[in-house]
Amino acid sequence: MNEGRDIGLVDEGAGAYETELLPAFFPEDDSIRQAAALIRAGELVAFPTETVYGLGANGYDPKAVEKIFMAKGRPQDNPLILHIDSEEMLREVIYDIDEKTLKSVRRLWPGPITMIFEKSPRVPDIVTAGLSTVAVRLPMYRVAQSFISKAGVPIAAPSANRSGRPSPTTAKDVLEDMDGRIPLILDAGPSSIGLESTVVDLTSYPPTILRPGFYPHSLLQRFFPDLRGGEDQIMDGETQEKPVLSIPDSMTPKAPGLKYRHYAPNAHVTVYVGEVFQITERMKEAAATNAGFLVFSEQEEAIRDAFPEAPIRVLGSYQHLDVIGQRLFRLLREIDRLGVQEIYVAGVPEAAYGVAIMNRLSKAAGGNVIHV
Ligand code: TXA
Ligand code: MG
């Protein structure tokens, strides 16, 4: 085993393990017992949640958590989420919670949402990157809950991709990034949501969405009336002009993960947003040779007619954002694997769940989003 100097700079750690992939569809599967035993022994396990697959370690064991940063090639100033199985475990990892917040938490968990609290002294600094706050999530998948319960400790876990790559939504996608770096991947099939959790900071006033997700601003506002961040960008059917998100490296942003390039395939990505017909026309004009397409089902025929040789993947109907979100990362990886130079992607309106989808797409495209 290597000692993890130069984290994020040197691609070390591959080949240290024979990575095993085991099915885990039921909470009492033996694979989950094996996974929990590995966690207690200080090892890493990739596990399924309804959002994306996580790369887990014992959240109380700094040496185990350090292995996460090594396996991912993740900068150590980017804090991790602690995954818990109960209110009891929540109280262990946070400093305090008032009755009103507890009521909201009880209704939002288990689910695809991460909330940030003041941390308890029990949480090691490496988990929170030295911050006084800690991100916590109780996932919906019973397999994930069972894994945490059997481990008996909070599981520190980022998404199980190599740093900067799209998050994995299948065990195969985890294997692509983590083969040889970890001993075990639990396989429960494709994640049902497919985008990472909504991250809400409850330590600031007003409470703030730091990363949009499946639970949109409008839903969370019912729990946190003054909530800020992740709002719809569409008014009267028109997209609002807004600056592309960019944070200088020298600044410490509120969500440290925001400053890194993310969700990015190897290919150059262009996203088109607008009427379906117009997106199709713009894709036809723009397309270079050696390009791939991620399109709505409504566009499929026209794009296939125009580019019979090109790889085309279908995100789903433009009317079904949940299906688009569920397939997005998997299809980005799939089309990228073919070695195309350009990927043209159909974008969605930035309202409701579309805010989260466009947040990921815009990062995958390095801000290269064209309104047609
Ligand atoms: O759906 C998900 O959230 C998945 C599954 C595995 O739970 N996890 C995930 O983790 O996406 P990760 O590490 O890829 O993203 C966590 C985000 C990062 O942007 C990180 O900077 C932010 O949450 N974060 C974690 N702790 C924080 C804290 N104390 N304050 C502010 N941001 C925090
Ligand atoms: Mg991630």
Side-chain angles (χ1 to χ4, degrees), residues 72 74 158-159 161 167 196 211 262-263:
K72 273 189 70 106
R74 177 171 172 124
S159 47
N161 50 287
S167 295
E196 308 86 348
R211 180 177 70 185
H262 232 128
Y263 317 120

Side-chain angles (χ1 to χ4, degrees), residues 57-62 65 82 89 92-93 120 122-124 127 152-154 156:
N58 177 350
Y60 288 150
D61 177 351
V65 174
L82 283 182
M89 208 179 257
E92 256 179 55
V93 300
S120 106
R122 213 171 150 181
V123 177
V127 171
V153 290

Side-chain angles (χ1 to χ4, degrees), residues 137-158:
R137 173 166 171 231
L138 203 168
M140 177 95 73
Y141 270 16
R142 285 167 64 227
V143 160
Q145 292 174 14
S146 167
F147 166 57
I148 301 162
S149 299
K150 287 183 166 59
V153 290
I155 303 286

